[in-house]
Amino acid sequence: MRVTLFGASGLLGQELVNAVKLRGLELNALTSKDADLRDHPRVNRLIRDSQPDCIILSAAFTDVDGCESNRDLAMAVNCEGAVNVAKAARTTGSRLMLLSTDYVFDGTKSSPYEIGDARNPINVYGESKARAEEQLLHLVPDACIVRTSWLFGHGGNCFPATILKLAATRPEISIVNDQRGSPTFTRDLASTLVQLCEKGAGGIVHATNSGNCTWYEFATEIVRTSGLPAEVKPVTTAEFPRPARRPPYSVLSPASLDAYGIHMPKWQDALGRYLRHDAPAAKSIPNL
Ligand SMILES: NC(=O)c1ccc[n+]([C@@H]2O[C@H](COP(=O)([O-])OP(=O)(O)OC[C@H]3O[C@@H](n4cnc5c(N)ncnc54)[C@H](OP(=O)(O)O)[C@@H]3O)[C@@H](O)[C@H]2O)c1
């Protein structure tokens, strides 16, 4: 199977490169320097030349607060860019997988979001992804839209890396305790995505590590596991306003992934593996 990956330099993309190679699949790994998603002729040419069996679209403008002040850019990259890839995929008959987000939901539910629940994004990033989902499913009805959440992993900025840095230098850190979701290790997700490609998955799939927590609970587990002395203090979102609103609850139901016989590990297990294996500055952290 030949795979073309957009977003190969990203947090998830780097793990996808490893996962695709591990399965012995042929890979064409692209960054924004190879192809800007907004450049339709270039995207088209690259896909036509490589004739992939499967295209994984992990590339995106992912700065949630940045999207709020750069609406045009967010829509151009995340929505119109995805449409460019979908149109090219149609000409080569390649299967298409788009990475999407829990932020397509407004967070007003108190039980896990199912794939059929209505999209109602409350920030520009979520809106750009929701519009991309709709257009892709229209252009390529058998495309696979994989929604995930709260990514952490090696090779870039992520929540655990930030907490480790803060907890190593401050006696107390304040973290919001009124947003609930599912942290997801890029290594586990990459393996899941490759399996979905191999199974020829289509439609919407929710893929996260299992279980859920608030950011405060996530930070507490990071500090506890790493044995750092910092105290984690729960605060409210209202005390720490950000440019983009976040859904208060964005847990995604695993039912759609279960249907493919794929079960992702618990987030605490995933965090333990992330922290044990070459987490940034792990050598200087007491318990690691
Ligand atoms: N991070 C999360 O918590 C999270 C949660 C839910 C869903 N997702 C989704 O999961 C996917 C992967 O996220 P991530 O955190 O791995 O992203 P990331 O680390 O921010 O990486 C983004 C990737 O997109 C590429 N890119 C950005 N703008 C581009 C453009 N105009 N044209 C072509 N490529 C462009 C970047 O390439 P360069 O390095 O060359 O700039 C990079 O490879 C995204 O689709 C994101 O929306 C992420």
Side-chain angles (χ1 to χ4, degrees):
M1 185 161 87
R2 273 195 305 276
V3 178
T4 290
L5 167 65
F6 288 90
S9 52
L11 200 64
L12 175 60
Q14 294 171 64
E15 287 290 356
L16 273 166
V17 168
N18 297 334
V20 169
K21 285 186 180 163
L22 219 84
R23 294 293 299 169
L25 310 177
E26 201 180 309
L27 175 67
N28 184 20
L30 305 170
T31 71
S32 64
K33 288 185 195 70
D34 302 305
D36 190 308
L37 295 183
R38 294 167 292 177
D39 184 348
H40 186 223
R42 173 120 186 102
V43 166
N44 213 26
R45 200 164 52 247
L46 275 166
I47 291 177
R48 194 193 55 213
D49 291 351
S50 57
Q51 295 282 320
D53 300 298
C54 180
I55 299 168
I56 305 179
L57 178 47
S58 183
F61 178 27
T62 59
D63 175 355
V64 176
D65 289 322
C67 284
E68 217 59 24
S69 49
N70 289 288
R71 185 189 172 80
D72 289 351
L73 182 61
M75 297 310 285
V77 175
N78 295 349
C79 184
E80 290 150 39
V83 166
N84 288 340
V85 176
K87 285 181 177 162
R90 242 182 9 181
T91 64
T92 52
S94 312
R95 295 198 69 87
L96 176 59
M97 175 180 280
L98 169 76
L99 266 297
S100 189
T101 169
D102 53 332
Y103 285 6
V104 298
F105 297 120
D106 59 17
T108 53
K109 272 186 85 173
S110 52
S111 60
Y113 278 92
E114 302 293 341
I115 57 171
D117 284 330
R119 303 173 185 92
N120 189 25
I122 57 172
N123 58 45
V124 171
Y125 169 72
E127 186 188 345
S128 67
K129 286 288 191 173
R131 296 296 90 82
E133 286 189 3
E134 288 162 357
Q135 297 213 39
L136 245 66
L137 288 172
H138 175 70
L139 284 165
V140 186
D142 66 350
C144 185
I145 311 276
V146 182
R147 294 184 185 136
T148 188
S149 64
W150 296 25
L151 293 186
F152 66 92
H154 306 301
N157 279 337
C158 65
F159 186 76
T162 304
I163 294 299
L164 289 177
K165 269 186 231 146
L166 291 176
T169 53
R170 295 185 193 179
E172 184 184 284
I173 49 179
S174 299
I175 307 291
V176 294
N177 196 28
D178 53 3
Q179 293 170 33
R180 180 168 292 277
S182 298
T184 302
F185 187 19
T186 49
R187 191 163 296 170
D188 291 345
L189 180 60
S191 155
T192 293
L193 295 174
V194 173
Q195 290 179 64
L196 286 170
C197 282
E198 290 182 319
K199 287 170 186 270
I204 299 172
V205 180
H206 287 173
T208 69
N209 277 120
S210 60
N212 61 77
C213 58
T214 65
W215 291 110
Y216 160 77
E217 290 163 354
F218 191 15
T220 301
E221 182 71 6
I222 295 162
V223 169
R224 189 191 66 75
T225 309
S226 55
L228 287 163
E231 189 190 334
V232 186
K233 199 177 138 212
V235 293
T236 64
T237 301
E239 287 172 83
F240 280 87
R242 304 269 294 270
R245 287 173 66 206
R246 265 74 173 173
Y249 180 95
S250 60
V251 179
L252 302 176
S253 164
S256 52
L257 196 59
D258 290 347
Y260 287 100
I262 303 173
H263 310 286
M264 291 179 67
K266 284 191 167 46
W267 67 264
Q268 294 94 331
D269 170 84
L271 176 65
R273 283 180 284 120
Y274 165 83
L275 290 173
R276 274 193 303 279
H277 298 282
D278 57 30
K283 287 184 190 69
S284 62
I285 296 168
N287 280 357
L288 302 174

